[in-house]
Amino acid sequence: MKDWHPDLSRSSSPRYMAIADLIEMDLRSGVLAVGDRLPPQREMAKRLNIDFTTVARGYVEAQKRGLVDSHVGRGTFVIGGQDRERRGFVSDAAPDPRRASLVDLSMNLPPEPDDADLIARMREGLSAVAINLVPLLRYQGFGGSGMDKDAAAAWLSRRGLVPSQERIFVTPGAHPALLAIFGLLAKPGETVLSEIITYPGMRSIAAQLRLNLSGLQMDDEGILPDAFAEACERLQPKALYLNPTLQNPLTLTIPEKRRGEIAAVARKYHVPIIEDDAYGFIPLHGPPPFGAIAPDLTWHIGGLAKCIGAGLRLAYVVAPDTKAIWPFVSAMRTNNVMASPMTVALATRWIENGTADSILRFIRAEAAVRQRMVADILPKGSYKADPISFNIWMPLTNGWTRSTFSSHMRSSGIGVVASDAFTVDGAVSEAVRICLGGPIDRDRLKGALDFMAHALEGPPEMSASFF
């Protein structure tokens, strides 16, 4: 029904809410029927003589209520009755709480597999693990069995790492491993270094351990070696934390030459490097990890959250030498006892039979597709990204601040993260991180990006909703 023309005076709600209200009322009265196509948002804005953003928010609100669904290239369609129930809505008035956030772009997750054959392979691995379920319900030795460490070694070898099995540990995720390592290397009140804009989890760990976290200045190739050397002279740091490949949130990758320069400074001042290689497996031909460049200085953490799936909660840690093994084992046992034997067994199975490589190929390909969507929709030069990163970093202009932009997106059901979460030292820049993966499909991602692109065309006051 392209000719649908709602009378906003029929609702006393704000205009964007009124649009959703009228879709619901006209669906109940029979003016609209399931399958009807609503007018395009820009056309509707002209009909009603209101701002495009207000219409977009109205359509988003209607989608939250389960009244409409959008499809890239086709438009927005009314859904209802049995179709609404099939999509997860328990009643006409109450959406399933599991669908509370339709376009959450705040979590940096890999795109989720949707290929039927790949999902079947993943399920086969789970079934194979379940055959030996009872032994997996028992306590296991910390760090993984010999079989699990062999799988870890095979996986890490793709990054050019060839550590002995005694230096490899299977841990319940990168975060607890980081917590244990920093607890070993630094005491409360001592200083550790990181990028000046860094992973928020590192800030949380430093705060929990009462460490002084100091940020190093950066350029487009990562931290500046001279800034690192000056900080070593001045602060006598106990460790350097780096997320060197597809860095979260800036998406930059430290090139090999710069890595060598950083390693040389670390060696001169005897500063251990903690390498959070969460995204290291995503590039096809990325630079070698610090764990290969300076293995005797580096704690290498190869998490599986970004290259296979966050729900596994697994990471492969490589200790720099045998002296570090027992303190690390003790710290990890105290905090976590062990990684879940069932998820460890599943990861090992997927690595051995090639399923993990298939998941990784899917993630890599889908991330590239989504980055091309971004390039097609957002203004050129308005953001920073890598062609296969899971997120973009958007410095804000045209009067937008991180607060006004985040608030405007949130009011329309779109979650982004302001730069405050990532900034270690100094003034906070007006920027946001926008994530592209997770359970959001391409259609909803495109809708969110279209909404952002329109908002960025003018200053914040042009995107305000008028009641």
Side-chain angles (χ1 to χ4, degrees):
M1 181 178 285
K2 293 185 178 180
D3 296 329
W4 185 64
H5 195 302
D7 179 2
L8 297 184
S9 66
R10 293 166 58 201
S11 173
S12 60
S13 301
R15 288 180 176 179
Y16 81 95
M17 293 288 286
I19 292 171
D21 291 344
L22 293 171
I23 292 172
E24 187 159 13
M25 283 190 277
D26 286 352
L27 177 60
R28 288 176 175 172
S29 66
V31 173
L32 289 172
V34 173
D36 281 348
R37 182 174 183 263
L38 295 181
Q41 295 174 17
R42 292 187 186 278
E43 180 181 327
M44 179 64 78
K46 290 180 182 178
R47 288 187 188 185
L48 300 179
N49 194 28
I50 60 177
D51 186 76
F52 165 85
T53 305
T54 302
V55 176
R57 290 181 67 189
Y59 280 28
V60 168
E61 175 62 26
Q63 189 165 340
K64 284 183 179 179
R65 300 184 193 180
L67 302 169
V68 302
D69 204 0
S70 298
H71 303 271
V72 175
R74 294 173 54 205
T76 301
F77 295 84
V78 176
I79 62 176
Q82 293 180 350
D83 196 46
R84 288 184 70 194
E85 293 172 9
R86 178 177 59 82
R87 291 169 182 265
F89 291 88
V90 296
S91 72
D92 283 346
D96 189 323
R98 292 172 296 179
R99 294 175 59 93
S101 179
L102 289 177
V103 193
D104 183 5
L105 307 183
S106 64
M107 293 296 290
N108 213 27
L109 297 169
E112 295 185 352
D114 59 1
D115 178 81
D117 290 339
L118 176 54
I119 292 172
R121 289 187 63 186
M122 294 166 68
R123 287 174 174 161
E124 182 279 329
L126 197 59
S127 298
V129 167
I131 293 173
N132 294 309
L133 180 62
V134 173
L136 295 175
L137 297 177
R138 303 168 189 157
Y139 283 110
Q140 313 285 323
F142 179 79
S145 67
M147 177 182 179
D148 299 322
K149 290 191 175 189
D150 284 343
W155 187 249
L156 293 168
S157 69
R158 293 162 170 78
R159 297 284 288 126
L161 296 167
V162 287
S164 61
Q165 193 182 87
E166 65 179 348
R167 290 171 51 216
I168 299 174
F169 298 92
V170 184
T171 68
H175 205 274
L178 287 168
L179 187 65
I181 293 167
F182 276 101
L184 292 177
L185 297 178
K187 298 176 183 177
E190 293 182 328
T191 297
V192 295
L193 304 175
S194 73
E195 308 102 329
I196 196 167
I197 297 178
T198 194
Y199 166 54
M202 183 61 238
R203 297 181 61 202
S204 300
I205 288 169
Q208 183 171 337
L209 296 176
R210 293 179 290 158
L211 306 177
N212 296 322
L213 182 63
S214 182
L216 298 174
Q217 292 297 324
M218 309 170 70
D219 62 12
D220 289 341
E221 294 188 343
I223 65 167
L224 301 173
D226 288 346
F228 179 26
E230 188 277 331
C232 290
E233 291 278 3
R234 180 170 51 89
L235 300 174
Q236 298 182 327
K238 297 300 180 180
L240 168 66
Y241 167 85
L242 291 174
N243 176 206
T245 302
L246 300 180
Q247 192 251 16
N248 179 10
L250 299 178
T251 76
L252 64 84
T253 293
I254 302 176
E256 184 173 1
K257 181 175 182 294
R258 176 67 63 85
R259 293 182 187 221
E261 294 167 349
I262 293 169
V265 175
R267 189 173 302 283
K268 177 180 177 180
Y269 292 97
H270 308 288
V271 177
I273 298 171
I274 292 86
E275 179 177 33
D276 185 357
D277 203 35
Y279 306 90
F281 286 92
I282 304 303
L284 270 173
H285 304 290
F290 281 93
I293 294 171
D296 57 319
L297 290 175
T298 304
W299 288 88
H300 179 88
I301 305 172
L304 301 186
K306 311 301 183 183
C307 57
I308 298 182
L312 284 176
R313 304 313 306 146
L314 292 177
Y316 299 141
V317 175
V318 181
D321 53 48
T322 55
K323 292 187 299 182
I325 291 174
W326 290 111
F328 177 69
V329 170
S330 178
M332 289 299 299
R333 278 178 174 164
T334 300
N335 289 330
N336 299 279
V337 182
M338 63 182 180
S340 166
M342 284 185 280
T343 54
V344 173
L346 181 60
T348 295
R349 174 80 179 186
W350 281 350
I351 290 171
E352 289 180 339
N353 69 10
T355 302
D357 284 313
S358 296
I359 296 171
L360 179 57
R361 284 194 294 270
F362 168 84
I363 290 171
R364 189 182 289 135
E366 182 64 18
V369 169
R370 294 181 181 217
Q371 284 290 350
R372 290 195 292 270
M373 289 174 58
V374 172
D376 289 341
I377 295 170
L378 296 183
K380 185 178 181 180
S382 65
Y383 63 92
K384 297 180 180 180
D386 185 278
I388 52 172
S389 60
F390 302 163
N391 71 285
I392 64 174
W393 180 254
M394 180 180 286
L396 297 168
T397 58
N398 210 12
W400 285 99
T401 67
R402 60 193 189 278
S403 176
T404 56
F405 187 81
S406 299
S407 177
H408 183 57
M409 293 299 107
R410 186 168 55 251
S411 70
S412 297
I414 302 170
V416 301
V417 183
S419 53
D420 306 67
F422 311 95
T423 304
V424 177
D425 291 319
V428 180
S429 62
E430 298 298 344
V432 294
R433 185 189 71 178
I434 300 165
C435 300
L436 311 175
I440 306 302
D441 60 25
R442 293 182 192 177
D443 287 350
R444 290 194 172 96
L445 177 60
K446 182 183 184 300
L449 293 171
D450 283 336
F451 186 83
M452 289 180 194
H454 180 268
L456 293 168
E457 289 176 0
E461 52 268 25
M462 295 296 294
S463 294
S465 296
F466 300 99
F467 303 153

